[in-house]
């Protein structure tokens, strides 16, 4: 859990004329802060859940049913920590203030300091009959589920905030938030760079030389592209707006298709002769190496 922090508060108790009550100022400097009974509220902790997404889900947006455990106000004692039918008693050590004052004599005079009451632990009250469900804490842990919508265009490491779905605050304090952390799985075909996606399209050396139409896989299906005649290895084609939507709604990325020319590794003699003839037609001389057996190579030596 990520601890939340309440916002800072200024001095209280001043009227419109700007003149404050001296007792209020005294309490602020010595830690009571004007809280009746010394029971300062505490904001609940923030919680975290992790969600795995595919690139297709990132492209379209989706939703997830998340399951998490959080602290909630005890429904048996209504969050006060006391057994039903009983109420907490005011602490006699601090008279319900939650703090005790100490007087100290120094060479500069008498100084007064405060510290949390050890008997009530700063609560200002003592629970004599604890609630059997929450053991006097006023909070119980429960498992919750909820559907979280996930916006299109999220990226690995992004987090989404769900206000008020964290742990309940102590003594009636504000609940924390739930944070959903995004993890995008690696894709078997596409690679993401910002809002653009890249893919490699293997084509034969013949198709690269002659050109023609090809089907390319996209995140939403197949798209037809035209391969120019004489396409070189590493050439790129851009499919406009076939990438990832911008998470803030500012357009959509592109898909970059990188051409990978595949050179054959095994050719028949007939195919070699055809390539030799093609080379000769362009003015290039190519000799087909003879394939010799093991014994013939020894005798030649």
């Amino acid at each position: 859990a990520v601890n939340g922090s309440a916002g800072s508060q200024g001095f209280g108790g001043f009227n419109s004329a700007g003149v404050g009550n001296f007792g209020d100022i005294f309490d602020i400097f010595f830690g009571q802060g004007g809280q009746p009974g010394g029971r300062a509220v505490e904001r609940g902790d923030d919680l975290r859940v992790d969600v795995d997404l595919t690139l297709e889900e990132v492209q379209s947006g989706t939703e997830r049913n998340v399951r998490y455990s959080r602290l909630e106000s005890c429904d048996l004692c209504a969050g006060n920590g006391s057994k039903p039918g009983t109420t907490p008693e005011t602490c006699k050590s601090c008279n319900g203030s939650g703090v005790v004052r100490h007087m100290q004599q120094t060479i500069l005079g008498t100084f007064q300091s405060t510290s949390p009451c050890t008997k009530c632990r700063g609560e200002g009250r003592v629970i004599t009959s604890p609630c059997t469900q929450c053991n006097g804490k006023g909070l119980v842990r429960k498992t919750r589920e909820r559907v979280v919508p996930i916006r299109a265009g999220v990226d690995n490491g992004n987090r989404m905030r769900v206000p008020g779905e964290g742990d309940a605050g102590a003594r009636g304090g504000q609940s924390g938030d739930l944070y959903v952390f995004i993890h995008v799985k690696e894709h078997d075909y596409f690679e993401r760079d910002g809002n653009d996606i890249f893919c490699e399209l293997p084509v034969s050396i013949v198709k690269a030389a002659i050109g023609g139409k090809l089907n390319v896989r996209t995140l939403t299906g197949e798209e037809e592209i035209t391969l120019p005649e004489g396409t070189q290895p590493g050439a790129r084609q851009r499919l406009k707006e076939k990438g990832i939507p911008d998470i803030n709604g500012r357009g959509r990325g592109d898909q970059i298709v990188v051409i990978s020319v595949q050179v054959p590794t095994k050719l028949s003699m007939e195919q070699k002769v055809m390539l030799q003839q093609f080379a000769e037609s362009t003015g290039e001389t190519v000799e087909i190496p003879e394939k010799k057996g093991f014994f013939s190579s020894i005798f030649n030596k």
Side-chain angles (χ1 to χ4, degrees):
V2 182
N3 290 325
S5 58
S8 59
Q9 299 181 1
F11 292 163
F14 287 86
N15 58 29
S16 59
V19 180
N21 181 284
F22 183 79
D24 291 336
I25 300 174
F26 185 87
D27 285 341
I28 289 171
F29 279 105
F30 287 92
Q32 284 183 259
Q35 290 289 346
R39 300 184 66 246
V41 298
E42 294 180 8
R43 184 182 183 275
D45 286 341
D46 294 334
L47 300 178
R48 167 177 176 161
V49 293
D50 294 82
V51 167
D52 293 328
L53 299 177
T54 64
L55 198 58
E56 284 82 2
E57 290 173 320
V58 169
Q59 189 271 341
S60 62
T62 186
E63 60 183 28
R64 277 291 189 275
N65 184 37
V66 297
R67 182 184 179 93
Y68 55 99
S69 174
R70 71 172 186 174
L71 290 176
E72 298 183 3
S73 179
C74 177
D75 52 4
L76 184 60
C77 66
N80 66 18
S82 290
K83 186 178 180 180
T86 66
T87 56
E89 296 180 358
T90 301
C91 178
K92 296 178 181 179
S93 295
C94 62
N95 294 321
S97 67
V99 296
V100 291
R101 289 186 171 88
H102 308 279
M103 304 299 294
Q104 185 177 5
Q105 296 289 339
T106 70
I107 60 174
L108 299 177
T110 303
F111 287 88
Q112 180 175 264
S113 61
T114 61
S115 62
C117 177
T118 57
K119 185 174 182 180
C120 65
R121 298 182 180 180
E123 292 279 337
R125 61 178 192 168
V126 177
I127 298 175
T128 55
S129 300
C131 172
T132 56
Q133 181 168 279
C134 66
N135 296 320
K137 296 179 180 179
L139 299 173
V140 291
R141 185 164 295 281
K142 294 185 178 180
T143 299
R144 293 296 183 191
E145 289 187 12
R146 66 165 295 152
V147 175
V148 177
I150 298 175
R151 188 185 306 176
V154 295
D155 204 349
N156 203 35
N158 287 165
R159 65 178 187 175
M160 301 175 58
R161 174 175 167 264
V162 185
E165 285 297 315
D167 283 342
R171 297 176 290 277
Q174 181 184 2
S175 294
D177 300 327
L178 174 68
Y179 285 91
V180 181
F181 280 72
I182 304 298
H183 303 276
V184 182
K185 300 177 183 178
E186 290 188 6
H187 203 277
D188 62 344
Y189 185 68
F190 298 106
E191 184 175 336
R192 181 177 180 177
D193 182 12
N195 291 332
D196 292 335
I197 58 173
F198 287 75
C199 68
E200 186 178 275
L201 180 63
V203 298
S204 69
I205 191 171
V206 176
K207 180 66 75 172
I210 297 177
K213 295 186 181 299
L214 291 173
N215 287 331
V216 179
R217 178 181 171 187
T218 72
L219 286 171
T220 56
E222 286 194 344
E223 190 84 7
E224 187 178 73
I225 65 171
T226 300
L227 202 65
E229 180 180 336
T231 296
Q232 299 299 306
R236 298 185 175 191
Q237 288 206 25
R238 184 180 295 269
L239 300 179
K240 286 288 187 180
E241 298 187 348
K242 289 296 180 179
I244 304 297
D246 184 81
I247 192 171
N248 296 314
R250 294 191 290 266
R252 181 186 293 267
D254 301 330
Q255 177 172 333
I256 314 300
V257 182
V258 182
I259 304 301
S260 173
V261 179
Q262 305 295 298
V263 178
T265 57
K266 292 183 179 181
L267 294 173
S268 66
M269 182 55 67
E270 181 182 1
Q271 291 170 328
K272 291 178 181 180
V273 171
M274 293 174 64
L275 286 176
Q276 184 184 44
Q277 293 172 350
F278 171 77
E280 291 175 351
S281 69
T282 62
E284 182 181 4
T285 301
V286 176
E287 292 186 4
I288 301 176
E290 295 183 13
K291 189 174 182 181
K292 299 180 179 181
F294 175 74
F295 290 105
S296 62
S297 61
I298 293 176
F299 294 144
N300 287 335
K301 289 182 180 179

